[in-house]
Amino acid sequence: MNKNEFINALKELNIKITPLQLEKLETYYNLLIEENKKYNLTAITKKEDVYLKHFYDSLTLNKIINLSNQYLCDIGTGAGFPGIVLKIIFPNLKITLLDSTEKKCKFLKLVISELNLNNIDIINERAEIYSKTTREKYDIVTSRAVAPLKHLLEYSISLVKVNGYYIAMKGDISKDIIGIDTYETKLGIKEESRLSFKLPKENSLRTLIKYKKMTKTSTKYPRKYTEIKKNKII
Ligand code: SAM
């Protein structure tokens, strides 16, 4: 996806990007490529691929939720997807970027400082540890390409305020949703909407699942990582 295609595709997401935001994305791209030579941040490095599979894909979250003036946590953000891209395009978002890998957090710190982003913090922690003590804090929690949906829901849901949302950014979810009803009941959430679409140009499947949090999360959740990992039902 070249720059013009990117700008036009964003119009279809109802995003009118400014020259300054484009410049910030370009700086972000250059930092990503430069730092990726020192340690592994992404396997996608060709500029047109980064614009499509990282930048555009991150912004598809706007298809399913209003991102204006929200407090959002991006679990397993890696090199900053979707969190950094969302912050560049929706500057009044307040964001927490969470990742368990120290090197990725170091990279995020560099990006935030180089791009002069404010109201954004980084937490170098495992999600299931952070969410044990941080409860009912965010309007929106999201994650892209991190773990099976059941694990993500259990890690993330206590972080969400009652009436807030957890949104999973996924590809094919047919296996992910088997047995998910029990999780919805136990975690006090309800699937509000689901959106499937194809990424422009390369046509791979994307699915956004949006859960609304109906009740406060029991302190039983999340369980210990070892229990979650064993795939023991909730
Ligand atoms: N969301 C980014 C993206 O879409 O490009 C990164 C995806 S990468 C495949 C998964 C990231 O999640 C890694 O950076 C990893 O360190 C992080 N991660 C995996 N499990 C995690 C957990 N339980 N808590 C925090 N971070 C986690």
Side-chain angles (χ1 to χ4, degrees):
M1 174 176 268
N2 64 33
K3 282 270 181 66
N4 275 339
E5 289 169 333
F6 178 68
I7 294 167
N8 285 330
L10 291 196
K11 283 184 194 150
E12 280 167 35
L13 295 180
N14 283 323
I15 296 170
K16 198 170 174 297
I17 192 164
T18 66
L20 181 65
Q21 288 169 329
L22 274 171
E23 199 184 306
K24 288 195 175 190
L25 285 178
E26 192 66 16
T27 307
Y28 182 23
Y29 171 75
N30 290 331
L31 288 168
L32 182 69
I33 299 308
E34 217 33 58
E35 295 301 302
N36 204 41
K37 290 178 189 156
K38 302 179 201 158
Y39 43 92
N40 182 35
L41 291 166
T42 177
I44 300 168
T45 53
K46 234 179 101 192
K47 195 181 227 177
E48 296 207 347
D49 291 341
V50 171
Y51 271 77
L52 174 64
K53 294 179 193 170
H54 282 328
F55 294 171
Y56 174 83
D57 192 35
S58 293
L59 292 167
T60 59
L61 192 67
N62 192 47
K63 280 176 181 275
I64 205 162
I65 195 145
N66 179 357
L67 291 159
S68 213
N69 284 309
Q70 302 291 298
Y71 193 8
L72 180 145
C73 181
D74 179 11
I75 301 267
T77 187
F81 307 117
I84 294 272
V85 187
L86 293 174
K87 181 66 198 174
I88 292 172
I89 302 297
F90 300 97
N92 62 20
L93 260 183
K94 191 172 166 194
I95 295 202
T96 298
L97 303 172
L98 182 132
D99 204 283
S100 54
T101 309
E102 200 181 345
K103 279 187 181 157
K104 295 196 173 155
C105 291
K106 206 175 132 213
F107 171 71
L108 296 169
K109 214 170 157 190
L110 174 75
V111 174
I112 288 171
S113 137
E114 292 290 318
L115 299 186
N116 240 326
L117 302 176
N118 54 24
N119 266 332
I120 180 161
D121 48 35
I122 303 161
I123 298 191
N124 181 200
E125 184 69 272
R126 289 201 65 85
E128 59 275 24
I129 294 172
Y130 182 60
S131 64
K132 199 77 201 160
T133 50
T134 311
R135 324 268 310 174
E136 277 82 33
K137 177 168 177 159
Y138 298 96
D139 302 307
I140 305 168
V141 177
T142 191
S143 42
R144 188 187 82 151
V146 176
L149 182 60
K150 288 175 188 153
H151 296 192
L152 288 170
L153 286 174
E154 190 167 348
Y155 294 166
S156 311
I157 217 62
S158 64
L159 297 170
V160 182
K161 286 179 189 167
V162 174
N163 291 322
Y165 294 95
Y166 171 75
I167 304 168
M169 303 181 80
K170 292 254 173 196
D172 176 11
I173 52 153
S174 48
K175 288 201 182 111
D176 260 318
I177 54 174
I178 297 168
I180 210 75
D181 301 11
T182 319
Y183 280 73
E184 292 189 27
T185 313
K186 294 262 173 81
L187 296 174
I189 54 175
K190 192 166 163 274
E191 183 183 327
E192 192 177 272
S193 55
R194 187 187 300 186
L195 199 61
S196 288
F197 54 94
K198 299 255 173 84
L199 210 58
K201 293 188 80 88
E202 51 117 67
N203 284 329
S204 55
L205 178 66
R206 293 289 184 273
T207 307
L208 303 172
I209 307 196
K210 180 181 180 187
Y211 289 96
K212 182 165 185 177
K213 175 151 157 177
M214 312 306 287
T215 55
K216 219 171 151 185
T217 313
S218 158
T219 49
K220 281 196 280 187
Y221 306 117
R223 293 167 297 168
K224 286 202 182 96
Y225 178 62
T226 44
E227 268 177 78
I228 298 174
K229 212 176 153 212
K230 273 188 236 154
N231 276 325
K232 261 173 65 184
I233 201 99
I234 200 161

